[in-house]
Amino acid sequence: PLPHEVEIDAFWMGTHEATWDEYELWVLDIDRTQRKQLKKEPRELDIVADGVTRPTPPYTDMSFGMGKDGYPAICMTQLAAKMYCRWLSAKTGHFYRLPTESEWEYACRAGTSTAYHFGNDPKPLGQYAWFYDNSEEAYHKVGLKKPNPWGLFDMHGNAREWVWDWYESYASNPVPDPLGPQQGKYRVLRGGSWKDGPEQLRSASRDDASPAQTAADIGFRCASDQRPE
């Protein structure tokens, strides 16, 4: 698609993809279990967070043996990613959510207008991303490659990332802080993954999937409208 202009309101983006260490506190109910073991009384925020619905416990190791300590969480539906953000918001008292597609690309580009945040030539991609050529058919710990100019890691590669929007063709006219259509069949994925080649890792590259789909190369990162303390 041709480039188009959008206006983005202020927001904050997660430095890296959500990790298993963070995600499993909620999805496996580890946070509540640890409080019970330590006989700690729940805070008011804990009580609210405990009420956030969790998905059905996984039937197998959803990391598929690729590692969990410091690795990006994968294999969640888009709804599960959104519910984790809801739980994190309740737990911390700060609002978290999935980024919109436009926010994601704005953060990935970090003020650049080239194919990648480091330029148009994909040759340096291995310095910034885990992808088909260097991943050895697996994801890797977050933050091991160079960040983009705004200090964000793995915006290219490692895990594809769920964003908020339903998938549709871009509008041709300037749009303020777009959220995409109100409904649809597929949600947007951004960033490419350890399975993909350089073309799929471009800042403007987009992918789509059913919001109920899970895959070994799909993860997410959180965004916020207010600065976390």
Side-chain angles (χ1 to χ4, degrees):
L2 295 174
H4 67 292
E5 293 182 4
V6 296
E7 298 175 7
I8 304 293
D9 287 339
F11 70 100
W12 287 264
M13 181 72 90
T15 303
H16 54 73
E17 295 153 341
T19 64
W20 284 114
D21 316 67
E22 299 162 338
Y23 184 65
E24 288 191 333
L25 286 174
W26 167 67
V27 76
L28 297 183
D29 206 16
I30 292 174
D31 178 65
R32 181 160 44 184
T33 300
Q34 288 178 337
R35 293 200 315 270
K36 289 181 178 179
Q37 291 174 343
L38 296 173
K39 298 181 179 179
K40 294 178 63 176
E41 290 296 322
R43 303 169 302 151
E44 184 177 346
L45 290 175
D46 294 329
I47 294 172
V48 176
D50 289 346
V52 177
T53 303
R54 293 180 301 280
T56 303
Y59 61 89
T60 188
D61 172 20
M62 302 309 289
S63 74
F64 303 102
M66 293 187 292
K68 282 193 172 182
D69 185 14
Y71 291 82
I74 54 169
C75 282
M76 75 288 294
T77 65
Q78 201 242 15
L79 176 59
K82 290 194 294 187
M83 293 300 287
Y84 169 79
C85 293
R86 182 178 297 180
W87 172 83
L88 186 62
S89 299
K91 179 73 178 173
T92 63
H94 297 282
F95 176 63
Y96 293 95
R97 57 174 173 76
L98 293 181
T100 67
E101 183 177 15
S102 293
E103 288 171 339
W104 191 97
E105 184 169 332
Y106 179 80
C108 178
R109 289 187 177 279
T112 68
S113 58
T114 48
Y116 309 92
H117 59 63
F118 53 82
N120 287 315
D121 186 350
K123 288 182 180 179
L125 191 57
Q127 300 177 41
Y128 298 89
W130 297 107
F131 66 116
Y132 180 82
D133 287 357
N134 66 359
S135 69
E136 299 182 344
E137 300 184 355
Y139 63 22
H140 292 260
K141 289 188 176 184
V142 300
L144 295 182
K145 293 295 186 178
K146 292 181 179 179
N148 76 0
W150 289 351
L152 305 179
F153 293 90
D154 301 311
M155 296 299 288
H156 301 309
N158 214 16
R160 291 185 293 168
E161 299 177 19
W162 285 119
V163 295
W164 180 269
D165 308 55
W166 291 103
Y167 186 89
E168 71 167 1
S169 298
Y170 285 136
S172 58
N173 56 307
V175 180
D177 216 21
L179 285 174
Q182 295 298 308
Q183 58 185 356
K185 186 176 181 180
Y186 301 106
R187 294 283 190 174
V188 179
L189 291 160
R190 282 303 203 118
S193 81
W194 53 272
K195 291 183 175 183
D196 294 321
E199 182 70 13
Q200 286 73 45
L201 270 64
R202 294 177 300 108
S203 299
S205 181
R206 4 177 20 221
D207 201 356
D208 63 271
S210 164
Q213 179 176 329
T214 64
D217 66 339
I218 294 179
F220 69 99
R221 75 178 71 211
C222 298
S224 179
D225 292 329
Q226 50 185 322
R227 185 169 189 169
E229 296 179 355

